Amino acid sequence: MVKPPLSVRNDPERHEAFMAVREGVPTSLMPSLLDWATDYYSYGWDGIRMDSVRRLERRLDRTLPYSERELIAAFRGSPTLLLDAIDVALTSAAEPDEAAALSEMLLEGRSEYTVGVDDDGNHELQSRQPPELTATAEAVASGTGSASRHLRRA
């Protein structure tokens, strides 16, 4: 859990909104995710890691730009592409410290995603909670009993 800043802790009305899980790529998280993807897919001086970009192309079944600036612009213009690129990077070759840094970013940004491990032991992006759990919680919270009140308050 992320500790809210002082201004939020002192204002209970803002606390709930602050703690809400954010879908997609929240605006405040975009620069950090772009930096993470840039570090993986480029050398930092407009040099693309062609093997990584080609792997991403094969996995996504589409062509991508071969200029760092154009690739990052493509990521910026499509949050879905950015998340796919990060997921492919995690599964392909991300080091444990890179995965941990990304996990921390996602937590701090209250993203709906987290870094998990698949059945083969590879890192991957995963939803913070399964859709079934979300549906069950929403069904219980919409009720009128004490369990519903407690769940809504939580």
Side-chain angles (χ1 to χ4, degrees):
M1 175 183 257
V2 173
K3 183 176 182 177
L6 177 64
S7 61
V8 173
R9 292 193 313 267
N10 289 336
D11 185 351
E13 292 177 14
R14 290 181 54 204
H15 191 267
E16 185 176 339
F18 178 86
M19 296 306 292
V21 172
R22 285 136 175 93
E23 294 180 9
V25 179
T27 305
S28 62
L29 193 52
M30 179 64 84
S32 297
L33 294 181
L34 285 170
D35 286 348
W36 194 94
T38 300
D39 286 348
Y40 184 81
Y41 288 101
S42 75
Y43 293 109
W45 34 267
D46 206 29
I48 292 293
R49 292 182 177 168
M50 288 302 294
D51 58 330
S52 298
V53 175
R54 297 286 167 120
R55 179 181 302 113
L56 180 59
E57 288 178 321
R58 290 189 301 271
R59 300 265 177 97
L60 300 181
D61 194 25
R62 65 178 282 188
T63 59
L64 295 165
Y66 297 132
S67 151
E68 178 186 15
R69 289 180 186 191
E70 291 175 11
L71 183 62
I72 299 310
F75 291 161
R76 182 178 284 114
S78 173
T80 301
L81 174 60
L82 176 59
L83 291 171
D84 282 345
I86 289 170
D87 187 54
V88 169
L90 279 171
T91 302
S92 300
E95 297 294 326
D97 60 330
E98 295 170 329
L102 178 62
S103 182
E104 183 69 18
M105 283 181 227
L106 294 167
L107 179 65
E108 289 173 345
R110 280 113 35 231
S111 171
E112 69 180 306
Y113 299 105
T114 188
V115 175
V117 178
D118 66 14
D119 294 337
D120 295 325
N122 298 312
H123 290 103
E124 68 177 1
L125 286 181
Q126 297 177 345
S127 292
R128 283 204 181 277
Q129 64 186 23
E132 301 82 20
L133 179 59
T134 301
T136 301
E138 288 173 355
V140 171
S142 67
T144 58
S146 63
S148 298
R149 284 193 306 278
H150 290 295
L151 186 57
R152 283 192 302 270
R153 190 175 312 137

